[in-house]
């Protein structure tokens, strides 16, 4: 299984489609038992530009609170929509979510 480099992983975190050579890694990323934590990590990377809010003038508490608010709200929304984003990513990389995520007991 070939892992994407840092640049490709960041693009993947922001929703880009990886080349087909990475398809087995994408399948592993989205179906391993830690898929939810991986999804939250990708979402946290998406929220990193919010750290620029700390550079705005104002009281220190506000410069800390704004980026934290963006991070917490990003993680909340990521957790809320994680099953849908997971299915979309699987489909985007050529997998049928209804087949890949099927319960093996049925």
């Amino acid at each position: 299984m070939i892992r994407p480099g840092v640049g490709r992983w960041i693009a993947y975190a922001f929703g880009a489609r990886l080349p087909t050579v990475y398809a087995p890694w994408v399948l592993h990323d989205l179906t391993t038992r830690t898929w939810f934590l991986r999804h939250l990590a990708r979402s946290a990377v998406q929220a990193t530009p919010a750290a620029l809010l700390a550079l705005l003038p104002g009281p220190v508490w506000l410069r800390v609170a704004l980026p934290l608010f963006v991070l917490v709200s990003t993680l909340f929304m990521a957790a809320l929509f994680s099953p849908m984003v997971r299915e979309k990513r699987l489909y985007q990389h050529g997998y049928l979510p209804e087949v890949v995520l099927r319960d093996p007991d049925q």
Side-chain angles (χ1 to χ4, degrees):
M1 176 176 3
I2 302 171
R3 238 184 103 84
V6 176
R8 286 189 194 253
W9 185 87
I10 290 173
Y12 172 72
F14 278 91
R17 185 183 187 286
L18 292 176
T20 55
V21 69
Y22 300 109
W25 179 84
V26 171
L27 181 64
H28 170 75
D29 184 52
L30 296 172
T31 58
T32 188
R33 67 180 176 85
T34 58
W35 73 269
F36 183 73
L37 296 175
R38 291 168 177 254
H39 175 68
L40 292 181
R42 285 190 302 270
S43 300
V45 167
Q46 291 175 357
T48 54
L52 295 174
L53 293 171
L55 301 176
L56 292 174
V60 174
W61 69 267
L62 187 61
R63 292 171 32 192
V64 171
L66 280 174
L68 282 178
F69 173 74
V70 171
L71 178 64
V72 169
S73 59
T74 298
L75 293 177
F76 176 76
M77 296 303 285
L80 190 64
F81 291 106
S82 62
M84 289 173 271
V85 172
R86 180 186 191 194
E87 289 180 6
K88 182 226 174 243
R89 282 185 182 268
L90 282 168
Y91 187 74
Q92 179 184 26
H93 287 88
Y95 295 103
L96 295 175
E98 56 272 9
V99 173
V100 173
L101 300 176
R102 183 177 46 205
D103 187 13
D105 295 336
Q106 292 181 350

